Amino acid sequence: MSVKISPSLLSANFFDLKADIKRLEALKTDMLHLDVMDGIFVPNISFGNPVIKKIKENSNLTLDVHLMIDRPHRYIKEFAKYADILGFHYEAGSDIAETLKEIRNLGCKACLTIKPKTAAEEIFEFLPLCDMVLVMSVEPGFGGQSFMPNSLPKVTALKKEIQAQGLKCDIEIDGGINGETAPLAVKAGADVLVAGSYLFCDKMEERYNYLKSL
Ligand code: DX5
Ligand code: ZN
């Protein structure tokens, strides 16, 4: 099966989100990646549920919500109203198993995310509760950073463990994905590539098709 692409809205034109979302719809992108930052778990603040609600009401893209917020369990019910895939960080201070179960009970796909310094092995026990895991290939908080190659062996280790446990769980990678790093991520076993600054430019269509061809 071909690799899935989740363009990150963080690099879109926030003065004309509608136009950028229409471009993604024309490309029939697999997903739309939505980065929610609270200024506490990460040193940046982005956008929240009012924006996601409007996108859900006006588009049929699959919404892949990446929560970068402290104690995310406090907000799962709210975000589950509009997310299709709802992900939170292993390091963010919520009960992992309970939060993953709650996401599934609310009808969303559950995603557990790890920062660059967290070992893949730390989340092996939670894989049966995950529909997707997200390996960060930059420190979360900002678009346009350089890819961290130490994320690649983590993707491969997770792939191996998912197969060993006989699970159906996608591996997503996020941060610094571009024409050079994307093939490495796919080779390591990534099923879903998040791309922000690489895609949101006048070459979006050409670059999206290139990523899909990997
Ligand atoms: C960073 C976000 C990413 C970001 C990726 O914390 O999680 O999704 O938008 O941006 P690029 O693709 O530019 O590294
Ligand atoms: Zn993200």
Side-chain angles (χ1 to χ4, degrees):
M1 219 183 59
S2 79
V3 66
K4 287 176 257 191
I5 313 298
S6 196
S8 169
L9 196 75
L10 199 61
S11 289
N13 174 4
F14 280 23
F15 192 55
D16 199 359
L17 283 181
K18 186 173 169 179
D20 275 343
I21 289 172
K22 293 280 166 216
R23 282 174 88 187
L24 299 177
E25 286 176 345
L27 279 166
K28 296 190 179 19
T29 63
D30 301 293
M31 300 175 194
L32 172 62
H33 187 83
L34 298 164
D35 290 298
V36 177
M37 305 178 184
D38 67 351
I40 295 173
F41 182 70
V42 288
N44 196 10
I45 299 176
S46 58
F47 52 82
N49 228 16
V51 174
I52 298 176
K53 176 175 190 276
K54 281 294 166 196
I55 295 172
K56 187 69 190 173
E57 287 170 357
N58 291 284
S59 147
N60 45 29
L61 292 169
T62 296
L63 303 188
D64 165 29
V65 175
H66 175 191
L67 296 180
M68 284 164 272
I69 65 175
D70 183 54
R71 290 166 292 147
H73 61 276
R74 298 174 296 150
Y75 290 99
I76 294 303
K77 265 192 200 69
E78 279 308 302
F79 284 100
K81 289 181 186 164
Y82 313 112
D84 294 291
I85 304 166
L86 184 53
F88 65 97
H89 272 266
Y90 172 74
E91 307 86 355
S94 289
D95 183 295
I96 306 298
E98 285 310 311
T99 307
L100 289 167
K101 282 184 211 160
E102 186 187 4
I103 293 173
R104 280 185 167 175
N105 286 339
L106 290 165
C108 295
K109 290 190 171 170
C111 174
L112 184 59
T113 303
I114 53 172
K115 296 204 315 182
K117 289 194 187 81
T118 304
E121 291 71 19
E122 288 197 46
I123 64 165
F124 281 1
E125 65 179 291
F126 302 109
L127 290 174
L129 298 172
C130 297
D131 300 289
M132 186 161 88
V133 287
L134 168 52
V135 176
M136 288 304 299
S137 40
V138 296
E139 284 296 338
F142 299 90
Q145 303 182 78
S146 299
F147 183 80
M148 297 169 74
N150 76 334
S151 57
L152 296 171
K154 287 159 68 169
V155 169
T156 307
L158 281 162
K159 188 89 178 184
K160 217 173 131 201
E161 183 65 19
I162 288 164
Q163 281 165 356
Q165 293 191 32
L167 301 168
K168 210 183 145 290
C169 175
D170 276 343
I171 303 172
E172 182 176 51
I173 189 163
D174 179 10
I177 293 294
N178 59 35
E180 282 82 55
T181 57
L184 305 176
V186 172
K187 194 162 164 248
D191 305 291
V192 185
L193 307 178
V194 175
S197 49
Y198 177 66
L199 282 180
F200 284 89
C201 65
D202 53 7
K203 296 197 180 88
M204 177 191 279
E205 289 72 16
E206 180 189 316
R207 289 182 172 186
Y208 182 81
N209 290 328
Y210 166 68
L211 293 180
K212 281 301 283 182
S213 76
L214 294 172

